[in-house]
Amino acid sequence: MEKSEDWRKLSRRQFLKASGAASAVMGSAGLGVFGYQAGKDSFSYTGCESFQGQAENFNRQRFAADHATYEKVGVASRVDARTEVIFSRVSSLMRQWDEEKGLDSLDKGLQAYYKKHPYDLKEDLHARKKIFPKRQKDEIKYKKKFVLAKAWSNAMSAVWPPGIRETPERYDFPRGEQYGEPVEPLKMKSPEKTSQLIKQISYQLGSTLVGITKLNPDWVYSYPMWGRGLNPELPLEIPGHWEYAIVIGTPMSWDPMYANPNYGTSFDAYAKSRIIAYRLIKFIRQLGYPARPHTPGVEYDLMVPPIAIDAGLGEQGRHGVMITPELGSNFRPAVVTTNIPMKTDKPIDFGVQDFCKTCRICAKNCPSRAIPMGDKEVVRGYRRYKINSSRCYNFWYSNLGNIGCRLCVTVCPYTRKSNWLHRTALEVTANDPSGMSQRILSKMQKSFYPAPHPQEYYIPSMGGKNESYREPPWWLQTEDFIDIDI
Ligand code: SF4
Ligand code: SF4
């Protein structure tokens, strides 16, 4: 892997000599308690404090790499959103499945998928037949405790921009106000200045992180999701004007996130990123250029994490989620595709791949064992950690929290607030080629952040205790505000 600057290519001996890493890390351990206290200070909650982009406070230029840290090792194939995205697959299964007819009750595409992946059929039916009834039962018994957590999550998702119901050719292009005529693109001064402008506008709209890349066609779905104005029976032809991808991102609220799976929600960050994306397309269209928002977790035509990696926002971790220097994995993105000419960012390599090799904290804490303890595998032509999405999804229905789990995000040592201890640790690990500081710091993480046993996160009727990783914030503790019997 080539780096833009040679000074990162230190040998183990040089690193130890130059930085005294071992003593720095051991010294940090003694100061850990103070760091833990500093993390409780809300001023260290990176992500919401600025509309000027200062939240993007890690100098990426030093870690810019010519290639992203995923490896292409074979012929790539695009994801079929109808069957390979678990949300679409399970909702089709739920609608179509007939116990007597079995596989024959499903449409041909789904049948073909399950014949090729019988394990997924077993897991998906397990959710439908076993987990859902148990959860319904426990929800009646225990849901009072999580009234405020649910109310807050629903409040965050209450106002969403209207969805897209038209093809890219119709929807994406700016039209004259009265006559629906195409609008001439304005002549921009330079791609560099346009990138600078788009980033600043994104920050002004509330984005914490922004990156720009050329769109790699491998990351666009081969068949579209329902509801995007595209026919799900026909392959998704990538429109010529989806030339660039602007990736924006905002963090989930820190304290509920630490109290996953019962008190966190993804809707807060998804809603913020989604609103920013819709505002950004309006801005770009006023300049005369086409733009389309892709907003997980509801409406998108592409795989967002590898695009965010290409745009230099971070690297993929063992848990399959992207890790950014500022927010760790506490991040929910949206993408805008456009053809306004822009200077692109480079991917970064700040040491995550080495850290993940030995850390494995997410894999050990994952209640469903969906995260591999072992090595990367080749998936669709790329070498990466392969997550068992069926297992993961089934756990989402085995706890009482708002949809999802997010424990892998929560426990990851990179998902820490921006206080002096965590920033020092980030600098040390990012610059240590020996791997020693990574090992010491992941040990420290295990000591300072004890966690419940993974089984305890499950609902009681599945052998659990409704546990959360941390105490919920005071404003989500139902029993302190509402007079109900818990
Ligand atoms: S979201 Fe939860 S169940 Fe899924 S991989 Fe992460 S820790 Fe495991
Ligand atoms: S918890 Fe550890 S192994 Fe998992 S993604 Fe984070 S750094 Fe990598």
Side-chain angles (χ1 to χ4, degrees), residues 317-319 323 355-356 359-362 412-414:
R318 179 181 286 276
H319 53 8
I323 296 175
F355 201 107
C356 285
C359 166
R360 296 191 181 90
I361 287 174
C362 53
C412 178
Y414 284 100

Side-chain angles (χ1 to χ4, degrees), residues 133-421:
K134 283 185 179 167
R135 188 179 197 270
Q136 270 176 341
K137 199 176 109 216
D138 277 21
E139 209 167 25
I140 293 166
K141 209 165 164 188
Y142 302 102
K143 75 174 177 189
K144 289 178 193 163
K145 188 171 172 57
F146 307 112
V147 163
L148 286 186
K150 282 252 185 295
W152 178 67
S153 176
N154 289 338
M156 292 311 291
S157 63
V159 183
W160 295 62
I164 296 172
R165 297 285 176 268
E166 290 172 340
T167 61
E169 289 68 30
R170 266 200 74 78
Y171 179 87
D172 298 8
F173 285 84
R175 312 263 160 194
E177 285 288 324
Q178 281 180 308
Y179 306 108
E181 292 297 322
V183 172
E184 275 298 307
L186 297 173
K187 192 170 180 312
M188 306 302 288
K189 285 209 164 172
S190 74
E192 288 79 6
K193 284 193 85 69
T194 306
S195 292
Q196 198 185 4
L197 175 68
I198 293 292
K199 286 187 176 181
Q200 182 61 9
I201 292 298
S202 303
Y203 295 132
Q204 292 292 334
L205 295 175
S207 192
T208 303
L209 305 176
V210 192
I212 298 170
T213 182
K214 284 263 186 181
L215 179 63
N216 178 346
D218 289 354
W219 310 137
V220 181
Y221 290 149
S222 57
Y223 285 82
M225 283 195 178
W226 179 86
R228 296 286 283 170
L230 294 155
N231 184 349
E233 299 303 317
L234 298 176
L236 195 167
E237 300 287 343
I238 303 173
H241 63 274
W242 290 7
E243 198 180 342
Y244 295 90
I246 304 161
V247 188
I248 54 184
T250 56
M252 296 177 278
S253 292
W254 286 91
D255 291 337
M257 185 274 301
Y258 282 135
N260 274 319
N262 287 313
Y263 293 88
T265 178
S266 307
F267 283 135
D268 54 349
Y270 275 141
K272 280 183 273 176
S273 295
R274 184 176 163 90
I275 290 166
I276 294 165
Y278 271 82
R279 286 174 170 163
L280 187 58
I281 66 160
K282 282 276 178 195
F283 181 83
I284 294 171
R285 286 183 191 176
Q286 299 288 307
L287 306 179
Y289 294 85
R292 188 178 184 86
H294 306 263
T295 57
V298 276
E299 295 179 313
Y300 47 115
D301 308 299
L302 27 79
M303 287 201 291
V304 176
I307 300 172
I309 291 167
D310 291 347
L313 293 189
E315 295 183 59
Q316 192 199 35
R318 179 181 286 276
H319 53 8
V321 187
M322 193 184 68
I323 296 175
T324 69
E326 293 87 353
L327 304 171
S329 297
N330 184 19
F331 171 85
R332 290 291 186 243
V335 169
V336 167
T337 46
T338 181
N339 66 4
I340 188 168
M342 289 175 289
K343 181 174 184 281
T344 54
D345 294 301
K346 283 189 158 197
I348 55 171
D349 173 5
F350 64 108
V352 170
Q353 304 314 306
D354 285 344
F355 201 107
C356 285
K357 261 188 211 155
T358 54
C359 166
R360 296 191 181 90
I361 287 174
C362 53
K364 284 181 192 143
N365 284 275
C366 170
S368 68
R369 290 177 293 110
I371 302 170
M373 291 290 281
D375 292 338
K376 294 179 180 177
E377 293 176 42
V378 177
V379 184
R380 294 188 204 89
Y382 288 87
R383 197 185 307 284
R384 52 165 291 182
Y385 291 111
K386 187 171 181 222
I387 306 306
N388 187 322
S389 56
S390 302
R391 278 189 189 169
C392 167
Y393 189 75
N394 280 356
F395 179 68
W396 294 14
Y397 293 94
S398 309
N399 69 78
L400 292 181
N402 299 307
I403 184 159
C405 159
R406 301 168 288 268
L407 276 165
C408 45
V409 169
T410 305
V411 300
C412 178
Y414 284 100
T415 308
R416 295 293 168 251
K417 295 171 195 165
S418 184
N419 61 46
W420 60 269
L421 177 67

Side-chain angles (χ1 to χ4, degrees), residues 83-84 89 103 109-124 380 386 390:
T83 53
E84 292 175 86
R89 185 175 77 236
L103 264 186
L110 206 51
Q111 280 188 36
Y113 178 83
Y114 280 132
K115 279 181 187 159
K116 208 168 158 196
H117 304 275
Y119 179 85
D120 283 344
L121 178 64
K122 193 170 147 238
E123 286 287 326
D124 294 353
R380 294 188 204 89
K386 187 171 181 222
S390 302

